[in-house]
Amino acid sequence: MYLPPHDPHVDDPMRFKPLFRIHLMERKCATVECMYGHKGPHNGHIQIVKKDEFSTKCNQTDHHRMSGGRQEEFRTWLREEWGRTLEDIFHEHMQELILMKFIYTSQYDNCLTYRRIYLPPSSPDDLIKPGLFKGTYGSHGLEIVMLSFHGRKAKGTKITGDPNIPAGQQTVEIDLAHPLRLPDIENLRDFSELSRIVLEVQEQVRREEQEEEQRQEGEDRSQQAASQPAAQPLGGGEGAEGEETAAGAQGAAQDQAPASQPFVLPMGVISRNEDYPRTCRVCFYGTGLIAGHGFTSPERTPGVFVLFDDDRFGFIWLELKSFSLYSRIKVSFQNAEAPSREAFDEMLKNIQSLAT
């Protein structure tokens, strides 16, 4: 298992933790050992469910228990997963979230089902190279997000989740057709000024979407009324045109803005990591997904995507007055590329449906 570094050190390398191992014996036999817990390897089982899917099961879950009971297990997990002790965490809400995560993850006792995920395909027009990133999520700690590009949009999909937003959900969506010009550094410190700029763009996006819906409805009616049924379908060129528009918007944003511009978080915006870059390349309008515990009442809320460099970006959650910093995972995964764009899109759809 690859684990993110301890919160909030988003630029630190990933951590590695073995979960099971297979011993190949003579006569084509093999033994499986579970590595979970602190009592050494013990008997386990692996089953191939179907293509790109397998399950693990521990046959001796008593090896996962500790003499001090659940309290000792929780304290050990907290030290290993978070690099902290319970006494370090003063915030009651954070204690509650961490305890929820421990209860959720420990209940499976290494009896898990694994499904293959692909790394996103890349294109020369992409803003930066797509891939996996570590991101700060407030009291939830660090989580893994996959950044992928889809024409006029970029999407951040959660690979690891939390009690509010599960893995598989689209945590952020970036509108590459709507770059944002930030105010000068002094005015940027004023949250109300940034909020005004973002909400104006949100209203513009809403109007454009309404106009597009009306245009599409008009074209559908025209097609139905046309006497020549062999009219050319609309689908073919539109996607490519959308991608050109996105690339054009990115280029225009980068042409208008200097190579780098000063950046500072507005007053009142909370960041787990104060060591964020103080210059950025470009910003775009985006939306972020928020929800209550158990993924209740989910809604997309406006925000700002901030590109710092090839390996780091940020997102300002306007409604939460919070900032997430993302840093690229530089681990090299073998044979992880999607065989096609269609296969990648299908995978994204599947992991989202699992989460819901």
Side-chain angles (χ1 to χ4, degrees):
M1 175 168 25
Y2 280 102
L3 296 163
H6 292 142
D7 178 53
H9 307 293
V10 73
D11 287 324
D12 285 0
M14 297 285 283
R15 296 174 292 139
F16 176 76
K17 181 179 180 180
L19 292 182
F20 59 86
R21 66 184 181 187
I22 303 171
H23 284 291
L24 297 178
M25 317 294 281
E26 295 178 3
R27 299 177 184 174
K28 297 184 179 178
C29 292
T31 60
V32 177
E33 291 181 327
C34 175
M35 306 285 285
Y36 196 79
H38 295 82
K39 295 182 180 178
H42 46 282
N43 186 255
H45 177 73
I46 292 180
Q47 180 181 1
I48 305 297
V49 179
K50 57 185 178 183
K51 186 179 183 295
D52 293 337
E53 188 174 316
F54 69 93
S55 294
T56 62
K57 181 182 179 182
C58 176
N59 295 331
Q60 294 176 284
T61 55
D62 56 303
H63 279 62
H64 305 168
R65 305 285 78 84
M66 302 183 81
S67 58
R70 293 292 273 174
Q71 188 172 16
E72 185 185 358
E73 291 169 21
F74 175 59
R75 286 181 175 274
T76 303
W77 175 86
L78 188 60
R79 189 171 60 251
E80 292 178 352
E81 299 287 312
W82 292 73
R84 298 183 182 189
T85 66
L86 197 57
E87 289 71 29
D88 292 337
I89 303 165
F90 301 109
H91 199 291
E92 191 175 328
H93 179 58
M94 188 171 185
Q95 289 180 355
E96 180 189 351
L97 290 173
I98 289 173
L99 184 58
M100 287 172 68
K101 194 166 188 176
F102 168 72
I103 293 169
Y104 183 78
T105 55
S106 63
Q107 67 180 327
Y108 294 106
D109 271 333
N110 208 22
C111 298
L112 302 166
T113 297
Y114 295 79
R115 295 178 179 88
R116 184 185 300 278
I117 58 172
Y118 296 121
L119 292 179
S122 60
S123 159
D125 291 332
D126 292 341
L127 191 63
I128 57 172
K129 183 182 177 183
L132 297 171
F133 290 78
K134 302 155 282 183
T136 56
Y137 277 85
S139 298
H140 293 301
L142 299 189
E143 299 183 21
I144 308 303
V145 168
M146 177 185 285
L147 179 70
S148 56
F149 292 91
H150 308 261
R152 295 164 61 100
K153 305 284 186 183
K155 297 178 181 179
T157 303
K158 279 199 176 187
I159 301 301
T160 58
D162 56 56
N164 292 67
I165 309 292
Q169 292 297 320
Q170 194 179 306
T171 175
V172 293
E173 181 176 281
I174 303 105
D175 189 337
L176 299 172
H178 289 90
L180 294 176
R181 181 176 285 279
L182 295 181
D184 61 66
I185 199 73
E186 287 307 314
N187 286 322
L188 183 55
R189 295 179 190 276
D190 181 359
F191 179 80
S192 61
E193 176 63 14
L194 179 66
S195 181
R196 180 190 64 78
I197 293 170
V198 174
L199 294 178
E200 281 181 1
V201 176
Q202 181 188 35
E203 179 60 25
Q204 179 188 344
V205 169
R206 189 188 64 79
R207 286 197 307 269
E208 289 173 1
E209 287 174 348
Q210 281 184 338
E211 289 167 4
E212 177 61 24
E213 284 177 12
Q214 291 168 359
R215 187 187 67 80
Q216 192 66 49
E217 287 172 4
E219 288 182 355
D220 289 345
R221 285 194 296 269
S222 298
Q223 276 192 331
Q224 290 169 6
S227 57
Q228 298 294 331
Q232 186 178 352
L234 287 168
E238 201 162 294
E241 188 178 305
E243 292 190 20
E244 286 173 16
T245 305
Q250 293 172 35
Q254 289 166 330
D255 288 343
Q256 291 170 11
S260 67
Q261 52 188 316
F263 177 81
V264 67
L265 286 176
M267 297 291 289
V269 173
I270 300 166
S271 174
R272 294 285 298 165
N273 193 329
E274 291 299 324
D275 190 25
Y276 61 86
R278 292 312 196 263
T279 60
C280 69
R281 287 185 188 172
V282 66
C283 298
F284 290 93
Y285 170 77
T287 58
L289 184 63
I290 62 174
H293 287 178
F295 197 44
T296 53
S297 306
E299 62 172 320
R300 303 210 68 85
T301 61
V304 181
F305 171 85
V306 186
L307 179 63
F308 294 116
D309 53 44
D310 287 341
D311 296 321
R312 290 178 297 179
F313 64 88
F315 192 82
I316 301 174
W317 306 75
L318 224 60
E319 190 164 316
L320 301 179
K321 281 195 172 182
S322 177
F323 174 72
S324 291
L325 177 64
Y326 301 83
S327 178
R328 186 182 300 278
I329 294 175
K330 296 180 180 178
V331 175
S332 178
F333 296 101
Q334 300 299 315
N335 305 314
E337 287 74 23
S340 66
R341 163 61 70 175
E342 291 73 25
F344 177 77
D345 290 341
E346 184 67 21
M347 179 216 72
L348 277 190
K349 192 165 63 175
N350 287 341
I351 62 174
Q352 187 167 10
S353 65
L354 287 170
T356 52

